Amino acid sequence: MAQQDRAIRTRRTILEAAASVFDDHGYDRATIAEVLERAGVTKGALYFHFASKEELALAVLEEHVVDIAVAPQKIKLQEFVDSGQVLAYRLRRDPMQRGAARLAVEQGSNRLDRKRSMLAWTQFVEMLLNEAKGRGEVLDSVVVRETAEMFVGAFAGLQTMSHALTNQADLCHRLAIFFEHTLPSIAVPAVLARLKLDPERGEKLDAELLGGRADGDAFLEAGNSLADAAS
Amino acid sequence: MAQQDRAIRTRRTILEAAASVFDDHGYDRATIAEVLERAGVTKGALYFHFASKEELALAVLEEHVVDIAVAPQKIKLQEFVDSGQVLAYRLRRDPMQRGAARLAVEQGSNRLDRKRSMLAWTQFVEMLLNEAKGRGEVLDSVVVRETAEMFVGAFAGLQTMSHALTNQADLCHRLAIFFEHTLPSIAVPAVLARLKLDPERGEKLDAELLGGRADGDAFLEAGNSLADAAS
């Protein structure tokens, strides 16, 4: 393995360990020592990639947004639904997503800028909705920015509630109910009738996305072993 | 003042101080020492009412639910909207509501049962929606329990987002947008057309509710002075 590949893998290992520590303890009580232990790397390796706990947290939050793009669909609004369902599914099992979600919703330290992750996700949703509107899929009454922010905000709360009640086991189901309530106010009737809203979509799409990645299995295994280590 | 009245007031003072400390620091970093300082009471007085930080937190969470009933309306769904808007408005300024909200959404300590407050609020909303359904205000397609949970979950996230972006200043506005998106899937058309959804309702109703209470002003002043002390 080339040196650069190794550095990328080490960085990923550290980030996943950090995410699982943030998921278990929150930002304030997370320690670099525990990240080192879970990642199985030296202090020098960690500080080569990240100067501080804050940098680790920001990098975890960054991954949260990067990882939710799904395959293009004929109906753009379907991509909006699907990216939400994939994220909801991953919050059940992917330590990176779980850690990022906890960082994003907890007030914790004032030094950590949680706005950035929410705004980045809002922009991503806004882009999808604008494209959908350009194709005539969205009702004229919709103010795209408002709808995008409403979705991101509501999602954050649905995952908080699902975490408290079922450790995220029912998040895909809760999200499907949210979509059933809101999409009639977003999609034009012809598009609404064709949207697939079943809560099992997240799992199916996640498998497809991982199958499409060269390193899909390795990534999944790394995620699972961290989840096992954390439990 | 009778001894019992004094005890009730002291209990309230301690609870409001505790709520403002939870709002500022979260559960884990909140200390009894800071609650004592803000409340201006002795250790003995505090421990007479509350045996531990956990008991304080549970009592604050309890207030969160008790405090959101609004005056009866001709349309029951209007009470559903109004109780949400009053809570959203109070989250801007009432330290008790702010502290309770932070306790409810943060994972924090595992010992604190956050489910209870979410479930109690869900039950309250479920009751309103069931009454509304009994009066023919709600669409047949609505599964009341699901809609109630969706509302409580989404609200938690809207307040998280509003807190991160504007310290709750735009929460009433965000909630109005949420209602605009969801009520067409909840209310029958004739009722929907008559619902008042403007984001200023919370402030107006809060003033009416406080005016209706004998101790309204005293309560508001106590709340404000704590908010000042905390800022």
Side-chain angles (χ1 to χ4, degrees):
Chain A
M1 186 160 41
Q3 205 170 347
Q4 206 188 343
D5 288 351
R6 201 176 297 132
I8 289 170
R9 270 171 190 266
T10 303
R11 187 178 184 279
R12 180 83 197 177
T13 303
I14 295 166
L15 266 192
E16 287 180 351
S20 80
V21 174
F22 290 133
D23 180 34
D24 289 343
H25 303 304
Y27 182 79
D28 288 330
R29 291 192 299 165
T31 62
I32 296 272
E34 195 163 349
V35 176
L36 290 174
E37 197 188 310
R38 291 197 192 178
V41 301
T42 63
K43 217 181 241 189
L46 188 145
Y47 283 107
F48 174 76
H49 292 282
F50 305 98
S52 63
K53 185 167 84 169
E54 194 178 358
E55 273 194 18
L56 275 170
L58 288 172
V60 168
L61 283 169
E62 196 102 337
E63 287 290 322
H64 198 35
V65 178
V66 171
D67 249 5
I68 50 177
V70 295
Q73 302 276 337
K74 275 186 200 161
I75 301 178
K76 209 72 195 172
L77 277 183
Q78 188 69 57
E79 290 179 39
F80 165 58
V81 171
D82 289 354
S83 64
Q85 283 294 8
V86 167
L87 179 57
Y89 177 69
R90 288 183 181 168
L91 279 168
R92 267 156 68 175
R93 49 207 304 274
D94 181 341
M96 192 72 99
Q97 297 297 339
R98 294 175 65 96
R102 181 160 181 179
L103 289 173
V105 300
E106 291 199 351
Q107 292 173 41
S109 163
N110 292 323
R111 287 174 57 219
L112 193 64
D113 184 6
R114 299 174 305 134
K115 292 181 199 175
R116 209 172 132 206
S117 123
M118 282 188 200
L119 293 176
W121 191 18
T122 303
Q123 269 174 3
F124 173 80
V125 173
E126 208 180 344
M127 188 195 68
L128 285 179
L129 291 178
N130 269 325
E131 284 186 51
K133 200 165 190 179
R135 298 186 189 188
E137 294 173 15
V138 173
L139 295 168
D140 284 341
S141 56
V142 168
V143 180
V144 165
R145 176 80 190 182
E146 287 183 353
T147 300
E149 291 198 3
M150 193 273 295
F151 168 72
V152 170
F155 186 102
L158 295 173
Q159 76 87 20
T160 298
M161 190 171 194
S162 177
H163 192 289
L165 299 180
T166 67
N167 196 23
Q168 312 287 26
D170 65 6
L171 181 54
C172 293
H173 184 64
R174 287 180 189 277
L175 185 61
I177 291 168
F178 171 82
F179 280 134
E180 282 164 17
H181 277 82
T182 52
L183 281 167
S185 303
I186 298 172
V188 299
V191 167
L192 181 65
R194 288 167 61 205
L195 287 174
K196 291 169 200 144
L197 303 181
D198 60 286
E200 288 76 30
R201 275 190 82 72
E203 180 167 5
K204 210 164 48 188
L205 291 164
D206 179 61
E208 286 171 20
L209 284 168
L210 288 175
R213 284 194 201 181
D215 62 339
D217 289 343
F219 166 66
L220 191 64
E221 273 168 34
N224 286 339
S225 67
L226 277 166
D228 292 343
S231 65
Chain B
M1 188 159 45
Q3 204 171 348
Q4 207 187 344
D5 288 349
R6 201 176 298 130
I8 290 169
R9 271 172 191 265
T10 303
R11 187 178 183 279
R12 180 82 196 178
T13 303
I14 295 166
L15 265 192
E16 287 181 350
S20 79
V21 173
F22 290 133
D23 180 34
D24 289 342
H25 304 304
Y27 182 79
D28 288 330
R29 292 193 299 165
T31 62
I32 296 272
E34 194 162 351
V35 175
L36 290 174
E37 198 188 309
R38 292 196 191 178
V41 301
T42 63
K43 215 181 241 188
L46 189 146
Y47 283 108
F48 174 76
H49 292 283
F50 305 98
S52 62
K53 183 165 84 168
E54 193 178 359
E55 273 193 17
L56 275 170
L58 288 172
V60 167
L61 283 169
E62 196 102 340
E63 287 291 321
H64 198 35
V65 177
V66 171
D67 248 6
I68 50 176
V70 294
Q73 303 277 335
K74 274 186 199 159
I75 301 178
K76 209 72 195 170
L77 277 183
Q78 188 68 57
E79 290 178 41
F80 165 58
V81 171
D82 289 353
S83 63
Q85 283 294 8
V86 167
L87 179 58
Y89 176 70
R90 289 184 179 165
L91 280 168
R92 268 156 68 176
R93 49 206 307 272
D94 181 341
M96 191 72 99
Q97 297 297 339
R98 292 175 66 96
R102 180 158 181 183
L103 289 173
V105 300
E106 291 198 352
Q107 292 175 42
S109 161
N110 292 323
R111 285 175 60 219
L112 193 63
D113 183 5
R114 299 174 306 135
K115 291 181 200 175
R116 211 171 133 205
S117 123
M118 284 187 200
L119 293 175
W121 191 17
T122 303
Q123 270 175 3
F124 173 80
V125 173
E126 207 180 345
M127 187 196 68
L128 284 178
L129 291 178
N130 269 325
E131 283 185 52
K133 199 162 191 181
R135 296 186 189 187
E137 295 173 14
V138 172
L139 295 166
D140 283 343
S141 55
V142 169
V143 180
V144 165
R145 175 81 192 182
E146 287 184 353
T147 300
E149 291 198 5
M150 193 272 295
F151 168 73
V152 170
F155 187 102
L158 295 173
Q159 76 88 20
T160 297
M161 190 171 194
S162 177
H163 192 287
L165 299 179
T166 67
N167 197 24
Q168 311 287 26
D170 65 5
L171 181 54
C172 292
H173 185 64
R174 287 180 189 277
L175 185 61
I177 291 168
F178 171 82
F179 280 135
E180 282 165 18
H181 277 82
T182 52
L183 281 167
S185 303
I186 299 172
V188 299
V191 167
L192 181 64
R194 290 167 63 203
L195 288 174
K196 292 168 200 146
L197 303 180
D198 60 286
E200 288 75 31
R201 275 191 82 72
E203 181 167 6
K204 209 164 50 188
L205 291 164
D206 179 61
E208 287 171 20
L209 284 168
L210 289 175
R213 282 196 202 181
D215 62 338
D217 289 343
F219 165 67
L220 191 63
E221 272 167 34
N224 286 340
S225 66
L226 277 166
D228 292 343
S231 67

PDB file of all heavy atoms in Angstrom, chain A residues 100-124:
ATOM      1  N   ALA A 100     -21.746  12.167  14.458  1.00  0.00           N
ATOM      2  CA  ALA A 100     -22.001  13.481  13.866  1.00  0.00           C
ATOM      3  C   ALA A 100     -23.361  14.012  14.298  1.00  0.00           C
ATOM      4  O   ALA A 100     -23.509  15.197  14.625  1.00  0.00           O
ATOM      5  CB  ALA A 100     -21.928  13.390  12.349  1.00  0.00           C
ATOM      6  N   ALA A 101     -24.357  13.124  14.334  1.00  0.00           N
ATOM      7  CA  ALA A 101     -25.698  13.560  14.720  1.00  0.00           C
ATOM      8  C   ALA A 101     -25.705  14.091  16.149  1.00  0.00           C
ATOM      9  O   ALA A 101     -26.291  15.131  16.446  1.00  0.00           O
ATOM     10  CB  ALA A 101     -26.685  12.407  14.580  1.00  0.00           C
ATOM     11  N   ARG A 102     -25.003  13.389  17.029  1.00  0.00           N
ATOM     12  CA  ARG A 102     -24.987  13.853  18.421  1.00  0.00           C
ATOM     13  C   ARG A 102     -24.281  15.205  18.535  1.00  0.00           C
ATOM     14  O   ARG A 102     -24.730  16.098  19.256  1.00  0.00           O
ATOM     15  CB  ARG A 102     -24.328  12.817  19.333  1.00  0.00           C
ATOM     16  CG  ARG A 102     -24.323  13.268  20.775  1.00  0.00           C
ATOM     17  CD  ARG A 102     -24.140  12.169  21.789  1.00  0.00           C
ATOM     18  NE  ARG A 102     -24.171  12.744  23.121  1.00  0.00           N
ATOM     19  CZ  ARG A 102     -24.057  12.072  24.243  1.00  0.00           C
ATOM     20  NH1 ARG A 102     -23.908  10.759  24.208  1.00  0.00           N
ATOM     21  NH2 ARG A 102     -24.091  12.674  25.411  1.00  0.00           N
ATOM     22  N   LEU A 103     -23.172  15.344  17.820  1.00  0.00           N
ATOM     23  CA  LEU A 103     -22.472  16.637  17.822  1.00  0.00           C
ATOM     24  C   LEU A 103     -23.380  17.753  17.297  1.00  0.00           C
ATOM     25  O   LEU A 103     -23.363  18.872  17.799  1.00  0.00           O
ATOM     26  CB  LEU A 103     -21.210  16.564  16.952  1.00  0.00           C
ATOM     27  CG  LEU A 103     -20.047  15.739  17.504  1.00  0.00           C
ATOM     28  CD1 LEU A 103     -18.951  15.637  16.445  1.00  0.00           C
ATOM     29  CD2 LEU A 103     -19.487  16.339  18.787  1.00  0.00           C
ATOM     30  N   ALA A 104     -24.171  17.431  16.267  1.00  0.00           N
ATOM     31  CA  ALA A 104     -24.976  18.472  15.622  1.00  0.00           C
ATOM     32  C   ALA A 104     -26.143  18.941  16.487  1.00  0.00           C
ATOM     33  O   ALA A 104     -26.531  20.098  16.428  1.00  0.00           O
ATOM     34  CB  ALA A 104     -25.498  17.973  14.275  1.00  0.00           C
ATOM     35  N   VAL A 105     -26.705  18.041  17.314  1.00  0.00           N
ATOM     36  CA  VAL A 105     -27.890  18.462  18.069  1.00  0.00           C
ATOM     37  C   VAL A 105     -27.588  18.934  19.494  1.00  0.00           C
ATOM     38  O   VAL A 105     -28.395  19.622  20.087  1.00  0.00           O
ATOM     39  CB  VAL A 105     -29.008  17.388  18.122  1.00  0.00           C
ATOM     40  CG1 VAL A 105     -29.483  17.037  16.728  1.00  0.00           C
ATOM     41  CG2 VAL A 105     -28.566  16.161  18.877  1.00  0.00           C
ATOM     42  N   GLU A 106     -26.405  18.590  20.021  1.00  0.00           N
ATOM     43  CA  GLU A 106     -26.156  18.982  21.410  1.00  0.00           C
ATOM     44  C   GLU A 106     -25.489  20.350  21.512  1.00  0.00           C
ATOM     45  O   GLU A 106     -24.566  20.653  20.761  1.00  0.00           O
ATOM     46  CB  GLU A 106     -25.302  17.919  22.108  1.00  0.00           C
ATOM     47  CG  GLU A 106     -26.103  16.635  22.293  1.00  0.00           C
ATOM     48  CD  GLU A 106     -25.523  15.724  23.353  1.00  0.00           C
ATOM     49  OE1 GLU A 106     -24.405  15.996  23.824  1.00  0.00           O
ATOM     50  OE2 GLU A 106     -26.193  14.765  23.703  1.00  0.00           O
ATOM     51  N   GLN A 107     -25.954  21.111  22.452  1.00  0.00           N
ATOM     52  CA  GLN A 107     -25.400  22.454  22.622  1.00  0.00           C
ATOM     53  C   GLN A 107     -23.947  22.408  23.075  1.00  0.00           C
ATOM     54  O   GLN A 107     -23.124  23.160  22.609  1.00  0.00           O
ATOM     55  CB  GLN A 107     -26.255  23.268  23.597  1.00  0.00           C
ATOM     56  CG  GLN A 107     -27.627  23.591  23.033  1.00  0.00           C
ATOM     57  CD  GLN A 107     -28.546  24.261  24.047  1.00  0.00           C
ATOM     58  OE1 GLN A 107     -28.121  25.116  24.811  1.00  0.00           O
ATOM     59  NE2 GLN A 107     -29.801  23.884  24.042  1.00  0.00           N
ATOM     60  N   GLY A 108     -23.654  21.497  23.989  1.00  0.00           N
ATOM     61  CA  GLY A 108     -22.287  21.243  24.451  1.00  0.00           C
ATOM     62  C   GLY A 108     -21.396  22.472  24.528  1.00  0.00           C
ATOM     63  O   GLY A 108     -21.808  23.529  24.981  1.00  0.00           O
ATOM     64  N   SER A 109     -20.181  22.300  24.071  1.00  0.00           N
ATOM     65  CA  SER A 109     -19.211  23.387  24.125  1.00  0.00           C
ATOM     66  C   SER A 109     -19.603  24.513  23.174  1.00  0.00           C
ATOM     67  O   SER A 109     -20.058  24.283  22.069  1.00  0.00           O
ATOM     68  CB  SER A 109     -17.841  22.856  23.717  1.00  0.00           C
ATOM     69  OG  SER A 109     -16.993  23.922  23.390  1.00  0.00           O
ATOM     70  N   ASN A 110     -19.412  25.735  23.608  1.00  0.00           N
ATOM     71  CA  ASN A 110     -19.734  26.871  22.745  1.00  0.00           C
ATOM     72  C   ASN A 110     -18.747  27.031  21.605  1.00  0.00           C
ATOM     73  O   ASN A 110     -19.024  27.702  20.627  1.00  0.00           O
ATOM     74  CB  ASN A 110     -19.747  28.169  23.562  1.00  0.00           C
ATOM     75  CG  ASN A 110     -20.903  28.157  24.533  1.00  0.00           C
ATOM     76  OD1 ASN A 110     -21.976  27.667  24.221  1.00  0.00           O
ATOM     77  ND2 ASN A 110     -20.671  28.683  25.722  1.00  0.00           N
ATOM     78  N   ARG A 111     -17.570  26.434  21.758  1.00  0.00           N
ATOM     79  CA  ARG A 111     -16.532  26.639  20.753  1.00  0.00           C
ATOM     80  C   ARG A 111     -16.824  25.892  19.464  1.00  0.00           C
ATOM     81  O   ARG A 111     -16.311  26.233  18.404  1.00  0.00           O
ATOM     82  CB  ARG A 111     -15.164  26.223  21.322  1.00  0.00           C
ATOM     83  CG  ARG A 111     -14.632  27.229  22.343  1.00  0.00           C
ATOM     84  CD  ARG A 111     -13.361  26.711  22.970  1.00  0.00           C
ATOM     85  NE  ARG A 111     -12.351  26.415  21.983  1.00  0.00           N
ATOM     86  CZ  ARG A 111     -11.518  25.379  22.030  1.00  0.00           C
ATOM     87  NH1 ARG A 111     -11.597  24.527  23.020  1.00  0.00           N
ATOM     88  NH2 ARG A 111     -10.616  25.197  21.107  1.00  0.00           N
ATOM     89  N   LEU A 112     -17.637  24.835  19.573  1.00  0.00           N
ATOM     90  CA  LEU A 112     -17.913  24.025  18.385  1.00  0.00           C
ATOM     91  C   LEU A 112     -19.032  24.669  17.557  1.00  0.00           C
ATOM     92  O   LEU A 112     -20.122  24.892  18.048  1.00  0.00           O
ATOM     93  CB  LEU A 112     -18.341  22.628  18.826  1.00  0.00           C
ATOM     94  CG  LEU A 112     -18.374  21.570  17.748  1.00  0.00           C
ATOM     95  CD1 LEU A 112     -16.977  21.337  17.200  1.00  0.00           C
ATOM     96  CD2 LEU A 112     -18.926  20.274  18.318  1.00  0.00           C
ATOM     97  N   ASP A 113     -18.734  24.948  16.291  1.00  0.00           N
ATOM     98  CA  ASP A 113     -19.722  25.620  15.457  1.00  0.00           C
ATOM     99  C   ASP A 113     -20.671  24.595  14.829  1.00  0.00           C
ATOM    100  O   ASP A 113     -20.369  23.967  13.830  1.00  0.00           O
ATOM    101  CB  ASP A 113     -19.002  26.418  14.361  1.00  0.00           C
ATOM    102  CG  ASP A 113     -20.007  27.195  13.532  1.00  0.00           C
ATOM    103  OD1 ASP A 113     -21.198  27.191  13.888  1.00  0.00           O
ATOM    104  OD2 ASP A 113     -19.592  27.814  12.543  1.00  0.00           O
ATOM    105  N   ARG A 114     -21.854  24.441  15.458  1.00  0.00           N
ATOM    106  CA  ARG A 114     -22.808  23.457  14.967  1.00  0.00           C
ATOM    107  C   ARG A 114     -23.606  23.987  13.782  1.00  0.00           C
ATOM    108  O   ARG A 114     -24.244  23.237  13.054  1.00  0.00           O
ATOM    109  CB  ARG A 114     -23.763  23.058  16.090  1.00  0.00           C
ATOM    110  CG  ARG A 114     -23.053  22.431  17.276  1.00  0.00           C
ATOM    111  CD  ARG A 114     -24.021  22.191  18.405  1.00  0.00           C
ATOM    112  NE  ARG A 114     -24.717  23.410  18.780  1.00  0.00           N
ATOM    113  CZ  ARG A 114     -26.010  23.503  18.982  1.00  0.00           C
ATOM    114  NH1 ARG A 114     -26.764  22.460  18.826  1.00  0.00           N
ATOM    115  NH2 ARG A 114     -26.557  24.643  19.335  1.00  0.00           N
ATOM    116  N   LYS A 115     -23.583  25.305  13.626  1.00  0.00           N
ATOM    117  CA  LYS A 115     -24.343  25.898  12.527  1.00  0.00           C
ATOM    118  C   LYS A 115     -23.887  25.358  11.176  1.00  0.00           C
ATOM    119  O   LYS A 115     -24.672  25.110  10.283  1.00  0.00           O
ATOM    120  CB  LYS A 115     -24.143  27.414  12.500  1.00  0.00           C
ATOM    121  CG  LYS A 115     -24.742  28.129  13.666  1.00  0.00           C
ATOM    122  CD  LYS A 115     -24.495  29.627  13.522  1.00  0.00           C
ATOM    123  CE  LYS A 115     -24.657  30.316  14.853  1.00  0.00           C
ATOM    124  NZ  LYS A 115     -24.304  31.737  14.785  1.00  0.00           N
ATOM    125  N   ARG A 116     -22.558  25.194  11.063  1.00  0.00           N
ATOM    126  CA  ARG A 116     -21.966  24.862   9.772  1.00  0.00           C
ATOM    127  C   ARG A 116     -22.570  23.574   9.193  1.00  0.00           C
ATOM    128  O   ARG A 116     -22.926  23.524   8.019  1.00  0.00           O
ATOM    129  CB  ARG A 116     -20.457  24.686   9.978  1.00  0.00           C
ATOM    130  CG  ARG A 116     -19.656  25.029   8.752  1.00  0.00           C
ATOM    131  CD  ARG A 116     -18.177  25.025   9.115  1.00  0.00           C
ATOM    132  NE  ARG A 116     -17.414  24.279   8.164  1.00  0.00           N
ATOM    133  CZ  ARG A 116     -16.251  23.691   8.426  1.00  0.00           C
ATOM    134  NH1 ARG A 116     -15.744  23.741   9.654  1.00  0.00           N
ATOM    135  NH2 ARG A 116     -15.606  23.051   7.497  1.00  0.00           N
ATOM    136  N   SER A 117     -22.677  22.558  10.047  1.00  0.00           N
ATOM    137  CA  SER A 117     -23.187  21.281   9.552  1.00  0.00           C
ATOM    138  C   SER A 117     -24.666  21.400   9.166  1.00  0.00           C
ATOM    139  O   SER A 117     -25.110  20.873   8.154  1.00  0.00           O
ATOM    140  CB  SER A 117     -22.927  20.196  10.601  1.00  0.00           C
ATOM    141  OG  SER A 117     -24.090  19.554  10.985  1.00  0.00           O
ATOM    142  N   MET A 118     -25.444  22.113   9.988  1.00  0.00           N
ATOM    143  CA  MET A 118     -26.865  22.288   9.652  1.00  0.00           C
ATOM    144  C   MET A 118     -27.037  23.078   8.365  1.00  0.00           C
ATOM    145  O   MET A 118     -27.881  22.760   7.530  1.00  0.00           O
ATOM    146  CB  MET A 118     -27.581  23.036  10.783  1.00  0.00           C
ATOM    147  CG  MET A 118     -27.892  22.153  11.967  1.00  0.00           C
ATOM    148  SD  MET A 118     -28.925  23.036  13.154  1.00  0.00           S
ATOM    149  CE  MET A 118     -28.597  22.055  14.611  1.00  0.00           C
ATOM    150  N   LEU A 119     -26.228  24.117   8.208  1.00  0.00           N
ATOM    151  CA  LEU A 119     -26.358  24.956   7.020  1.00  0.00           C
ATOM    152  C   LEU A 119     -25.902  24.206   5.769  1.00  0.00           C
ATOM    153  O   LEU A 119     -26.503  24.340   4.703  1.00  0.00           O
ATOM    154  CB  LEU A 119     -25.572  26.261   7.196  1.00  0.00           C
ATOM    155  CG  LEU A 119     -26.151  27.185   8.279  1.00  0.00           C
ATOM    156  CD1 LEU A 119     -25.264  28.416   8.478  1.00  0.00           C
ATOM    157  CD2 LEU A 119     -27.578  27.620   7.946  1.00  0.00           C
ATOM    158  N   ALA A 120     -24.844  23.401   5.913  1.00  0.00           N
ATOM    159  CA  ALA A 120     -24.367  22.636   4.757  1.00  0.00           C
ATOM    160  C   ALA A 120     -25.431  21.641   4.298  1.00  0.00           C
ATOM    161  O   ALA A 120     -25.682  21.477   3.101  1.00  0.00           O
ATOM    162  CB  ALA A 120     -23.078  21.901   5.115  1.00  0.00           C
ATOM    163  N   TRP A 121     -26.071  20.988   5.261  1.00  0.00           N
ATOM    164  CA  TRP A 121     -27.109  20.028   4.901  1.00  0.00           C
ATOM    165  C   TRP A 121     -28.313  20.755   4.297  1.00  0.00           C
ATOM    166  O   TRP A 121     -28.924  20.285   3.321  1.00  0.00           O
ATOM    167  CB  TRP A 121     -27.491  19.199   6.124  1.00  0.00           C
ATOM    168  CG  TRP A 121     -28.351  18.037   5.806  1.00  0.00           C
ATOM    169  CD1 TRP A 121     -28.531  17.463   4.565  1.00  0.00           C
ATOM    170  CD2 TRP A 121     -29.161  17.294   6.695  1.00  0.00           C
ATOM    171  NE1 TRP A 121     -29.389  16.419   4.649  1.00  0.00           N
ATOM    172  CE2 TRP A 121     -29.792  16.284   5.943  1.00  0.00           C
ATOM    173  CE3 TRP A 121     -29.400  17.374   8.071  1.00  0.00           C
ATOM    174  CZ2 TRP A 121     -30.664  15.370   6.525  1.00  0.00           C
ATOM    175  CZ3 TRP A 121     -30.253  16.456   8.639  1.00  0.00           C
ATOM    176  CH2 TRP A 121     -30.881  15.470   7.879  1.00  0.00           C
ATOM    177  N   THR A 122     -28.660  21.897   4.880  1.00  0.00           N
ATOM    178  CA  THR A 122     -29.771  22.684   4.335  1.00  0.00           C
ATOM    179  C   THR A 122     -29.488  23.063   2.879  1.00  0.00           C
ATOM    180  O   THR A 122     -30.372  22.975   2.021  1.00  0.00           O
ATOM    181  CB  THR A 122     -29.982  23.962   5.174  1.00  0.00           C
ATOM    182  OG1 THR A 122     -30.203  23.588   6.532  1.00  0.00           O
ATOM    183  CG2 THR A 122     -31.168  24.762   4.673  1.00  0.00           C
ATOM    184  N   GLN A 123     -28.246  23.462   2.594  1.00  0.00           N
ATOM    185  CA  GLN A 123     -27.873  23.826   1.220  1.00  0.00           C
ATOM    186  C   GLN A 123     -28.023  22.652   0.265  1.00  0.00           C
ATOM    187  O   GLN A 123     -28.476  22.805  -0.866  1.00  0.00           O
ATOM    188  CB  GLN A 123     -26.422  24.305   1.178  1.00  0.00           C
ATOM    189  CG  GLN A 123     -26.302  25.803   1.380  1.00  0.00           C
ATOM    190  CD  GLN A 123     -24.855  26.245   1.476  1.00  0.00           C
ATOM    191  OE1 GLN A 123     -23.941  25.429   1.338  1.00  0.00           O
ATOM    192  NE2 GLN A 123     -24.645  27.521   1.708  1.00  0.00           N
ATOM    193  N   PHE A 124     -27.621  21.485   0.748  1.00  0.00           N
ATOM    194  CA  PHE A 124     -27.727  20.269  -0.060  1.00  0.00           C
ATOM    195  C   PHE A 124     -29.202  20.003  -0.406  1.00  0.00           C
ATOM    196  O   PHE A 124     -29.555  19.762  -1.570  1.00  0.00           O
ATOM    197  CB  PHE A 124     -27.120  19.089   0.719  1.00  0.00           C
ATOM    198  CG  PHE A 124     -27.301  17.754   0.082  1.00  0.00           C
ATOM    199  CD1 PHE A 124     -26.478  17.345  -0.955  1.00  0.00           C
ATOM    200  CD2 PHE A 124     -28.300  16.889   0.515  1.00  0.00           C
ATOM    201  CE1 PHE A 124     -26.650  16.098  -1.553  1.00  0.00           C
ATOM    202  CE2 PHE A 124     -28.475  15.642  -0.075  1.00  0.00           C
ATOM    203  CZ  PHE A 124     -27.645  15.255  -1.114  1.00  0.00           C
TER     204      PHE A 124
END
